[in-house]
Amino acid sequence: MRKIIKTNFGISLFIFGIIILSLFIGFISDSPATEKTRVRWIGVDQINKIIEEQKPVIVDLRTPGEYQRGHISGAINVPIETLRSNRSTLDIYKDNPVLLYCRTINKSDLAIWFLEGRGFKSIYALKGGYEAYRLHSR
């Protein structure tokens, strides 16, 4: 009889733990979206819509020379090396949507990681980078 009671108590405790864990996970997943960074990769066919609707700060992560040879209208040039050495460089835009692009996508991946760590909430990154944009805009 004692063994049955101990087994039932153990099972009840296990089920109770599962219920508490489920409630906790549900609480976390219902937290406001502003608590997490939202990263969205967009294609060149979406860029104009995002710029018009979201009015993001457009950040060109390429070198100054690459930027001078051509860039997306309205973009500011913050080379990835600058962002790497001073991660707070873009902090004044933390509450704004940010649209990142580089030549292809490698620097954008790194910049996303930096900005997520700084608490940026809304980040867009251009699939294919400036090369895709340039080819699409011809």
Side-chain angles (χ1 to χ4, degrees), residues 30-38 121:
D30 288 341
S31 63
T34 58
E35 297 298 320
K36 300 176 190 173
T37 301
R38 185 169 178 193
K121 304 298 180 221

Side-chain angles (χ1 to χ4, degrees), residues 36-60:
K36 300 176 190 173
T37 301
R38 185 169 178 193
V39 178
R40 289 159 283 206
W41 285 91
I42 61 168
V44 291
D45 56 326
Q46 300 169 290
I47 193 165
N48 290 331
K49 181 180 179 188
I50 296 298
I51 291 171
E52 287 173 18
E53 292 178 3
Q54 300 294 320
K55 305 206 182 333
V57 175
I58 305 169
V59 180
D60 186 321

Side-chain angles (χ1 to χ4, degrees), residues 61-63 66 80-81 102 105-112:
L61 298 163
R62 300 173 304 149
T63 66
E66 290 173 309
I80 194 67
E81 292 76 20
C102 57
I105 63 167
N106 297 332
K107 293 175 186 176
S108 294
D109 273 340
L110 185 57
I112 288 168

